Amino acid sequence: MAPFKKSKKLKKHKSVCLVPVEPRVNEPDWWLSFWNKNSTTPGLSVPSDEEEGFKYFFRVAKRTFDYICSLVREDLVSRPPSGLINIEGRLLSVEKQVAIALRRLASGESQVSVGASFGVGQSTVSQVAWRFIEALEERAKHHLKWPDSDRMEEIKSKFEALFGLPNCCGAIDATHIIMTLPAVETSDDWCDQERNYSMFLQGIVDHEMRFLDIVTGWPGGMSVSRLLKCSGFFRLSEAEDRLNGRVRTLSEGLEMREFIVGGVAYPLLPWLITPYESNGLSSSKSTNFNARHEVARLLAVRAFLQLKGSWRILNKVMWRPDKRKLPSIILVCCLLHNIIIDNGDQLHPDVALSGHHDSGYGEQCCKQVDPIGETMRENLAKYLLQSKQRTPAK
């Protein structure tokens, strides 16, 4: 079963076209109005400082907010507003539209609740949020792409410096986006192991928890290993069109190709290294390897905790979403996650979810072992143990 296709893309700008002029918006400062109305809302722990309060509500600093507005401004101005006005009859500014969309994604609150906080109706929130998602999906795609060779060398260098893993290019994990479906749309494909209806999101991250590759749109009822094999990343890696950089020669002539690290739910492959099984007979080599592997793999876990914590719409049960549009919502949340990192904005650690990003789900275990992958893991484990033995104890 193929994943749902994304919504129709916006047309690319042509260099000869005239940029539409944004209509003059006769409204008071949207942020001042929003802040005065919502900063003392009972039940919310809103910081007293306005700058921190802005970040509390929209997850980004004002500088990053302005950058996001610059990405989508032309699309939000050039497309007919279709009556996007507030309850006072004023046309919504681009800034207010972006704020409404970000608040909807960040809070996961109902459209009615988000609308009330801005003084607009539910239908306006729905229309504004989707226009924003369509625009950012197209205009911000450069923030989520597989690194070129120079950038990949930097990533590999950081993984080795932080975790001692030579030629490691990232960490992989997957999470469920839970939803309710109309009775006519329910099927065993969408019903996962915990009897929830869900859609999968798989992501590969770098040392800064930036998403380098994602795949979504697939039913949560499939296994993590099958999800991997349905992804374009798997096909590219198997064809050696990805993770195909220079091979590292380790001590004693051991060779290590480029690879990523993943948990026990993934198969052991030449380019995807998983931990040794814990069977009670662990050697110092496997124990040392698993410890190094785990801290690197947890980057992907932490990235999903941050993603779902920042953009709570992904962590709440979505009420009857359009399964053709849901992949776009998920992608835009990943793009926003990366934009925050790329702009040097600080990811608030207290925003991240506690525990696990797939709370309530048991860990899957894949028994597939590729012989070459097994050799790669053995080479890496030997190298790590030798490195540890050569390092003087502190």
Side-chain angles (χ1 to χ4, degrees):
M1 171 176 190
F4 289 102
K5 294 181 180 178
K6 294 185 182 294
S7 56
K8 186 177 180 181
K9 296 290 185 183
L10 302 172
K11 293 182 179 178
K12 292 186 176 180
H13 303 317
K14 296 180 180 178
S15 58
V16 295
C17 71
L18 296 176
V19 178
V21 178
E22 183 177 357
R24 284 291 173 188
V25 181
N26 182 27
E27 67 170 337
D29 183 272
W30 71 268
W31 164 242
L32 184 61
S33 300
F34 179 90
W35 177 251
N36 290 337
K37 184 174 185 179
N38 297 281
S39 60
T40 57
T41 301
L44 297 181
S45 303
V46 183
S48 57
D49 178 77
E50 270 197 50
E51 287 192 9
E52 288 301 308
F54 189 95
K55 204 163 191 176
Y56 171 87
F57 283 112
F58 306 111
R59 303 295 191 249
V60 298
K62 287 186 177 181
R63 177 175 57 85
T64 304
F65 178 86
D66 291 340
Y67 170 71
I68 294 170
C69 288
S70 74
L71 290 178
V72 299
R73 183 176 301 278
E74 187 171 338
D75 293 311
L76 298 189
V77 170
S78 63
R79 299 174 65 202
S82 303
L84 291 182
I85 57 176
N86 65 16
I87 57 177
E88 297 176 344
R90 298 189 180 96
L91 191 65
L92 297 183
S93 66
V94 167
E95 287 72 18
K96 191 167 183 177
Q97 290 183 57
V98 171
I100 290 170
L102 289 180
R103 185 60 189 156
R104 168 76 172 131
L105 297 174
S107 68
E109 295 172 356
S110 70
Q111 294 173 351
V112 172
S113 177
V114 172
S117 67
F118 283 93
V120 300
Q122 176 269 331
S123 61
T124 298
V125 174
S126 176
Q127 192 178 167
V128 164
W130 184 244
R131 281 160 46 91
F132 172 81
I133 287 165
E134 283 189 307
L136 197 71
E137 182 182 10
E138 177 66 21
R139 306 306 174 200
K141 57 189 177 183
H142 57 284
H143 283 283
L144 203 166
K145 61 182 181 179
W146 191 252
D148 59 25
S149 57
D150 290 340
R151 175 60 182 154
M152 184 55 76
E153 287 301 319
E154 294 177 23
I155 292 171
K156 291 191 296 184
S157 176
K158 289 293 185 180
F159 266 96
E160 185 164 11
L162 292 169
F163 312 112
L165 300 176
N167 245 13
C168 182
C169 300
I172 188 171
D173 202 5
T175 193
H176 293 84
I177 309 300
I178 302 174
M179 56 191 173
T180 61
L181 295 177
V184 293
E185 293 185 25
T186 58
S187 72
D188 289 341
D189 283 340
W190 295 99
C191 188
D192 60 39
Q193 67 198 64
E194 298 300 327
R195 310 309 296 170
N196 297 316
Y197 291 104
S198 65
M199 182 177 287
F200 254 131
L201 165 63
Q202 175 182 277
I204 299 168
V205 304
D206 67 10
H207 59 286
E208 295 180 302
M209 299 191 295
R210 178 188 289 103
F211 286 102
L212 305 178
D213 182 277
I214 70 165
V215 61
T216 191
W218 294 93
M222 65 200 312
S223 66
V224 171
S225 59
R226 185 182 167 209
L227 171 67
L228 171 71
K229 292 172 184 177
C230 289
S231 69
F233 184 85
F234 178 87
R235 292 191 293 273
L236 289 168
S237 298
E238 287 289 288
E240 298 187 358
D241 291 326
R242 187 146 293 177
L243 298 174
N244 58 352
R246 67 184 181 90
V247 175
R248 278 282 300 275
T249 301
L250 309 179
S251 55
E252 298 183 7
L254 300 177
E255 291 188 337
M256 198 70 209
R257 60 165 291 171
E258 288 187 343
F259 67 97
I260 57 175
V261 293
V264 295
Y266 287 98
L268 174 59
L269 302 170
W271 49 268
L272 201 172
I273 305 300
T274 58
Y276 286 97
E277 286 188 48
S278 299
N279 53 15
L281 300 174
S282 300
S283 64
S284 57
K285 180 182 68 177
S286 61
T287 300
N288 179 62
F289 172 85
N290 281 1
R292 296 286 191 97
H293 180 282
E294 179 67 0
V295 289
R297 186 190 71 82
L298 284 177
L299 285 170
V301 175
R302 290 165 53 204
F304 278 123
L305 285 170
Q306 187 72 53
L307 176 75
K308 284 183 151 184
S310 296
W311 311 106
R312 297 273 170 150
I313 194 169
L314 300 183
N315 195 51
K316 296 191 175 183
V317 179
M318 292 201 188
W319 175 252
R320 296 187 174 184
D322 185 332
K323 295 198 297 295
R324 294 166 298 180
K325 291 184 175 181
L326 184 51
S328 294
I329 296 172
I330 295 170
L331 170 58
V332 162
C333 289
C334 293
L335 288 171
L336 289 167
H337 173 97
N338 281 7
I339 286 172
I340 290 172
I341 298 172
D342 292 343
N343 278 32
D345 214 340
Q346 292 297 315
L347 294 169
H348 273 305
D350 56 340
V351 170
L353 300 177
S354 58
H356 195 271
H357 58 77
D358 248 359
S359 179
Y361 284 85
E363 190 170 43
Q364 298 179 26
C365 186
C366 179
K367 296 295 186 181
Q368 180 185 342
V369 174
D370 181 283
I372 299 177
E374 195 168 28
T375 300
M376 290 289 114
R377 184 171 66 184
E378 277 292 301
N379 289 349
L380 186 55
K382 289 177 184 177
Y383 169 79
L384 292 177
L385 185 60
Q386 290 168 0
S387 298
K388 182 181 179 180
Q389 292 169 343
R390 286 196 300 266
T391 304
K394 293 183 180 180

